[in-house]
Amino acid sequence: MKKIYLIVALFYSFTTGAQTTHTINAGSYYYNPAMLTIDVGDSVIWINDGGFHDVNGNINTVTGQPFNNPETFDSPPTNVVGAVIFSYHFTIPGTYNYDCSVGSHAANGMVGSIV
């Protein structure tokens, strides 16, 4: 009987601490969803629906000011449809703002945030 309790306890600890991977799609002047709430320890991947895009969580492309995220991140741009533009594992809680720094994408609304 003790073995059953141990197995149940181990299963519970693994399933309650499970991490989730969230997907954000990027395309013509959009990130979808533009706002995402996740748990610490979750990961996010950005997928290119089409166009030439990056994920910039460092300096706001429109204002030139730092986003002041808990951690900065950025990716090289890609134009490969269906490709992972960027993947990030969030280990520090807070609000993370980001944009697409390619051309005028951010000025045209290609911005997002993760809480």
Side-chain angles (χ1 to χ4, degrees):
M1 191 64 145
K2 288 182 182 181
K3 288 181 181 179
I4 292 173
Y5 286 126
L6 177 60
I7 291 170
V8 169
L10 287 172
F11 176 77
Y12 179 77
S13 68
F14 284 120
T15 58
T16 58
Q19 299 170 351
T20 302
T21 299
H22 305 268
T23 301
I24 296 175
N25 292 80
S28 184
Y29 306 119
Y30 69 83
Y31 289 113
N32 185 27
M35 195 284 190
L36 181 64
T37 301
I38 66 171
D39 293 320
V40 171
D42 286 357
S43 295
V44 175
I45 60 171
W46 286 261
I47 303 292
N48 189 6
D49 288 348
F52 191 60
H53 307 293
D54 67 0
V55 179
N56 165 41
N58 189 8
I59 304 294
N60 184 312
T61 304
V62 175
T63 67
Q65 299 299 311
F67 279 121
N68 293 318
N69 291 330
E71 289 184 300
T72 61
F73 54 85
D74 57 10
S75 73
T78 185
N79 64 351
V80 177
V81 175
V84 173
I85 300 170
F86 189 56
S87 176
Y88 196 76
H89 182 81
F90 290 84
T91 59
I92 299 175
T95 299
Y96 293 79
N97 294 298
Y98 61 93
D99 64 22
C100 179
S101 65
V102 174
S104 62
H105 292 190
N108 283 295
M110 195 167 182
V111 298
S113 65
I114 296 172
V115 178

